[in-house]
Amino acid sequence: MLRYIALRGLLALLVAFTVSLAAFFLLNVATDPAQAIAGEDAPPEVVESIRARYGLDRPLPVRYADWLGGVMTGDFGESYYWHKPVATLVADRADETITLALSALAVTILIAIPLGALAALNPNSWIDRFALGVAVSAQAVPNFWLGLIVIILFAVTFPIFPVSGDDTWRHFVLPAFVLGASSVPAVMRLTRTGLIEVMGADYIRTARAKGFRGWPLLRRHALRNALLPVISVLAVQLGQKFGGSVITESIFAINGLGRLALESILGADIPTVQMLIFVFAIVFVAMNLLADILNAALDPRIRIG
């Protein structure tokens, strides 16, 4: 198992390096950073002055090596748009995105696992079809459309929750529901499939013979084994929530990393954009590595050594 984790960790590092390389070169090739800072109508001498000031006249490989070296030492560069260290911008807004991602994961768990369990306990029934219908609907509805609908219903028509901001826990209820709903289909189907498979096992038949039925059977015998693969999937979903909150944070005016990414793109702030891409990729890779470790720990065929 230790060898397996080491190989997965090395692969994760290679993926992170590849993402940083691709993000840096694509962002710097797709547009002229000096021209973006100066503006479209800036005279050539101003553009050249900015290029020399920020070191943009150096070759791309040299600039990438300097940037990567800075990242490894904690220096993420300076924002062209806010004129602040990128590390400060990321640190100031990370709490909101972490809170939103964890809240969205909690919404996914509270909706998907009970629906999957109900569907598994009543296969091919109207309950099963209803649960699958909810999953299909959640998968088909775009986040921005669902966000507008819940704002109209629960912030305008029935003013129960705030429409925007991130001051209190009530501000995170609607965005957490919107962001968490997108993960419901995958987790619900996996829970349903795992429970149906487990319910046919010999030890479940033995438990039924002892008088266990319904939720007691599910809670004491089936759910524990059926949810083992779901746990690793939830780790991946958490990584997706962390990096996929741009639209949700923009709709609900949450000052997190997703909204910072959008503002940086609109402001042509390349250092901030490439750092956010790198941070999102690192989190996603780390969550995938955690999922791999959980799968390895739960797989009896893998032994420590």
Side-chain angles (χ1 to χ4, degrees):
M1 181 176 176
L2 294 178
R3 181 173 179 272
Y4 176 84
I5 293 175
L7 290 175
R8 287 294 181 178
L10 178 60
L11 180 61
L13 290 176
L14 291 176
V15 171
F17 172 76
T18 303
V19 169
S20 70
L21 190 67
F24 185 89
F25 280 92
L26 289 177
L27 286 173
N28 284 273
V29 170
T31 184
D32 183 356
Q35 187 70 57
I37 297 170
E40 295 182 0
D41 301 327
E45 57 271 17
V46 174
V47 176
E48 291 301 323
S49 174
I50 291 175
R51 185 173 285 113
R53 174 185 174 186
Y54 288 102
L56 300 175
D57 52 351
R58 297 176 300 164
L60 273 178
V62 175
R63 288 157 52 193
Y64 173 74
D66 289 344
W67 176 78
L68 187 61
V71 169
M72 296 179 67
T73 58
D75 181 10
F76 297 165
E78 184 176 344
S79 166
Y80 296 159
Y81 186 77
W82 283 277
H83 303 290
K84 293 181 179 179
V86 176
T88 302
L89 293 173
V90 173
D92 289 344
R93 301 209 188 184
D95 289 346
E96 285 76 10
T97 298
I98 293 173
T99 301
L100 178 59
L102 293 175
S103 302
L105 188 68
V107 169
T108 299
I109 293 172
L110 291 175
I111 296 176
I113 293 180
L115 274 179
L118 284 172
L121 286 176
N122 304 274
N124 302 318
S125 66
W126 69 269
I127 298 177
D128 189 13
R129 289 191 290 271
F130 171 78
L132 292 175
V134 170
V136 171
S137 300
Q139 190 170 19
V141 174
N143 276 7
F144 70 88
W145 187 85
L146 182 59
L148 295 176
I149 292 299
V150 298
I151 287 175
I152 293 173
L153 288 177
F154 300 108
V156 179
T157 306
F158 305 101
I160 302 173
F161 299 106
V163 68
S164 62
D166 50 30
D167 296 331
T168 66
W169 66 268
R170 297 178 70 251
H171 289 83
F172 287 92
V173 174
L174 295 183
F177 173 78
V178 171
L179 189 60
S182 60
S183 299
V184 168
V187 177
M188 194 282 288
R189 285 195 294 263
L190 187 61
T191 303
R192 175 184 179 275
T193 302
L195 277 174
I196 290 177
E197 181 179 351
V198 167
M199 294 297 278
D202 292 338
Y203 68 91
I204 295 296
R205 285 193 290 269
T206 302
R208 282 191 177 128
K210 293 180 179 179
F212 287 98
R213 295 288 188 276
W215 284 106
L217 174 67
L218 195 71
R219 179 176 57 85
R220 295 188 59 178
H221 298 279
L223 201 58
R224 181 182 303 175
N225 293 323
L227 290 183
L228 293 180
V230 176
I231 294 173
S232 60
V233 171
L234 288 173
V236 176
Q237 292 295 330
L238 180 59
Q240 292 178 342
K241 294 288 173 286
F242 190 87
S245 61
V246 176
I247 295 176
T248 305
E249 289 185 4
S250 300
I251 292 174
F252 292 94
I254 296 176
N255 289 315
L257 296 180
R259 194 178 182 192
L260 176 63
L262 179 61
E263 293 171 348
S264 301
I265 292 171
L266 296 177
D269 189 4
I270 291 179
T272 305
V273 173
Q274 66 191 21
M275 193 63 235
L276 286 172
I277 293 174
F278 185 67
V279 169
F280 291 154
I282 286 293
V283 172
F284 185 75
V285 168
M287 291 298 101
N288 274 274
L289 178 60
L290 176 61
D292 290 338
I293 293 174
L294 290 173
N295 283 328
L298 299 173
D299 192 341
R301 295 170 298 178
I302 300 177
R303 295 287 182 265
I304 296 177

